[in-house]
Amino acid sequence: EIILPSIYTEMLDDNIAYIQLMTFGLTTDEDLRGELEDLLAQEPVGLILDLRGNGGGYLITSINIISEFIEEGVVLIERFGDGTEEIYESTGEGIATQIPLVVLIDPGSASASEIVAGAIQDYGRGIVVGDPATHGKGTVQTLMDIGNQLFRNARTNYGALKVTLQQFYLPDGESTQRKGVAADIVVPSITAKMDVGEGDLKYALEHDTVKPAPHVQYGMSPPDLIGQLRKSSAERVEKDDEFVDLLRRINLYVDQKEQDYVSLDEDDFMRRRAELDAQKEDEEKELETEIGSDVIFRDTFYNQEIINIAHEYIEGLTKQNLARAN
């Protein structure tokens, strides 16, 4: 049996620490603390926490991970079917509560990943960057054996029902269900157009809210700075040839997905097939490049934009702190 690591770390050339969490396993929080200690000893100017593709895991692990970045306060509200609630608070023992923080998300960031990203956003502790929103999985389910529950008969197989038991809410009172956690700065990607979120399911539970929990604001995601970051990123993307080509491929993908018919005209059909073949070839080349590299945070145009955003964010925070100090 091959057990893959749940965490990867790297110091980037720009003196920014990078942590990729693959899942929220039982020991991921302990592993993260050890890695944070090593990274912080190198005095990075900022930290990127990558939750892309992380489908979640243990709830207590997510609480302990949030606690590394938030000193104290409510980080999650859990509501049960009978209306009762359980409140989860930071442990107050974090070692990375001041470093500028960028959290990366995509539609594959679900459940525990959304709890972490949402709490950091609600506290103004950092910025969330990537696809427009996370997956939108804000509930807990269990399988109920029908024979056992209804007839007290464990011998006959009557099937099972998947029953929702709990729902999660962020410190501001918003559920992560359906809507997920919205990015502060959106970077274009094809995954943003894929129907892979909780809201794309036929019978997904609706989004709702509870009373917000009182909590402090770190002031590390000021609206004016976020507005400037969005503007700068959009301008860079517009001028970048690789992003321009990506946007072309995204539009082609959307057109293909929304098409209800296929043209029987041979010229139109062959032109369309050539476009799709070219797109597939480009995607395969990109995949080969990624698989063939042992670098964790690969030097791609997308990741370079993440670095650009991180640098501008760190610089903006530094200027604001200096202005307040004076």
Side-chain angles (χ1 to χ4, degrees), residues 44-90:
V45 296
L47 172 64
I48 295 174
L49 179 64
D50 193 344
L51 299 177
R52 291 175 294 181
N54 187 326
Y58 290 96
L59 174 60
I60 191 61
T61 301
S62 69
I63 302 302
N64 290 339
I65 286 174
I66 295 171
S67 299
E68 296 294 358
F69 304 106
I70 293 174
E71 291 177 355
E72 59 183 18
V74 174
V75 295
L76 180 69
I77 304 163
E78 185 178 23
R79 173 175 278 186
F80 298 87
D82 61 2
T84 59
E85 296 177 356
E86 184 168 354
I87 305 298
Y88 294 87
E89 297 190 17
S90 168

Side-chain angles (χ1 to χ4, degrees), residues 169-187:
Y169 300 85
L170 300 173
D172 278 355
E174 293 283 336
S175 170
T176 57
Q177 179 64 17
R178 289 185 74 100
K179 289 186 177 181
V181 177
D184 295 306
I185 298 99
V186 174
V187 181

Side-chain angles (χ1 to χ4, degrees), residues 88-108:
Y88 294 87
E89 297 190 17
S90 168
T91 63
E93 300 174 353
I95 61 173
T97 57
Q98 298 301 320
I99 186 170
L101 181 61
V102 176
V103 181
L104 302 186
I105 61 161
D106 69 4

Side-chain angles (χ1 to χ4, degrees), residues 21 32 62 91 97 109 133 152 167 243 246-247 276 292 306-307 312:
L21 291 184
L32 174 68
S62 69
T91 63
T97 57
S109 308
R152 305 301 176 195
Q167 192 161 348
F243 266 114
L246 173 63
L247 291 169
L276 296 175
I306 298 299
I307 293 293
E312 189 175 354

Side-chain angles (χ1 to χ4, degrees), residues 20-317:
Q20 182 183 32
L21 291 184
M22 307 301 295
T23 185
F24 288 80
L26 279 173
T27 63
T28 305
D29 49 351
E30 298 173 10
D31 297 339
L32 174 68
R33 190 174 184 88
E35 296 290 349
L36 273 174
E37 290 173 345
D38 292 341
L39 290 171
L40 293 176
Q42 301 176 59
E43 300 183 348
V45 296
L47 172 64
I48 295 174
L49 179 64
D50 193 344
L51 299 177
R52 291 175 294 181
N54 187 326
Y58 290 96
L59 174 60
I60 191 61
T61 301
S62 69
I63 302 302
N64 290 339
I65 286 174
I66 295 171
S67 299
E68 296 294 358
F69 304 106
I70 293 174
E71 291 177 355
E72 59 183 18
V74 174
V75 295
L76 180 69
I77 304 163
E78 185 178 23
R79 173 175 278 186
F80 298 87
D82 61 2
T84 59
E85 296 177 356
E86 184 168 354
I87 305 298
Y88 294 87
E89 297 190 17
S90 168
T91 63
E93 300 174 353
I95 61 173
T97 57
Q98 298 301 320
I99 186 170
L101 181 61
V102 176
V103 181
L104 302 186
I105 61 161
D106 69 4
S109 308
S111 193
S113 290
E114 298 175 282
I115 292 171
V116 173
I120 287 169
Q121 189 177 65
D122 281 6
Y123 272 77
R125 171 62 189 83
I127 60 172
V128 178
V129 178
D131 282 9
T134 56
H135 185 78
K137 174 75 164 62
T139 56
V140 179
Q141 286 79 29
T142 189
L143 287 175
M144 182 185 76
D145 185 279
I146 295 176
N148 185 273
Q149 292 292 323
L150 297 183
F151 309 112
R152 305 301 176 195
N153 182 354
R155 296 179 183 177
T156 305
N157 183 10
Y158 288 98
L161 292 175
K162 183 179 280 189
V163 181
T164 298
L165 301 177
Q166 298 123 285
Q167 192 161 348
F168 296 133
Y169 300 85
L170 300 173
D172 278 355
E174 293 283 336
S175 170
T176 57
Q177 179 64 17
R178 289 185 74 100
K179 289 186 177 181
V181 177
D184 295 306
I185 298 99
V186 174
V187 181
S189 77
I190 266 184
T191 52
K193 300 298 182 181
M194 294 180 177
D195 299 329
V196 294
E198 183 85 359
D200 296 312
L201 299 175
K202 270 189 176 181
Y203 305 108
L205 291 180
E206 294 298 326
H207 170 88
D208 68 343
T209 61
V210 295
K211 183 179 178 181
H215 57 276
V216 300
Q217 277 291 320
Y218 277 78
M220 297 179 76
S221 58
D224 58 338
L225 178 55
I226 288 178
Q228 180 57 47
L229 294 175
R230 287 174 183 160
K231 182 174 181 292
S232 298
S233 180
E235 290 173 352
R236 285 190 297 268
V237 165
E238 186 178 353
K239 297 174 183 176
D240 188 286
D241 290 341
E242 290 182 286
F243 266 114
V244 169
D245 183 61
L246 173 63
L247 291 169
R248 177 191 64 79
R249 286 188 280 147
I250 290 173
N251 290 333
L252 185 62
Y253 169 77
V254 171
D255 288 344
Q256 181 189 11
K257 187 176 70 168
E258 295 178 349
Q259 209 171 37
D260 295 325
Y261 62 90
V262 175
S263 174
L264 295 179
D265 180 85
E266 184 178 5
D267 291 338
D268 287 344
F269 178 82
M270 297 305 293
R271 177 187 56 78
R272 181 69 173 173
R273 189 168 73 173
E275 289 178 347
L276 296 175
D277 286 346
Q279 176 171 331
K280 185 176 180 181
E281 185 178 344
D282 289 341
E283 291 170 354
E284 287 176 350
K285 286 180 180 178
E286 290 175 9
L287 183 60
E288 286 174 7
T289 302
E290 292 186 5
I291 293 175
S293 172
D294 58 357
V295 177
I296 300 169
F297 192 76
R298 298 175 181 87
D299 185 18
T300 65
F301 66 96
Y302 187 96
N303 284 348
Q304 185 54 56
E305 178 54 24
I306 298 299
I307 293 293
N308 291 336
I309 292 170
H311 270 305
E312 189 175 354
Y313 170 58
I314 294 164
E315 183 180 348
L317 281 183

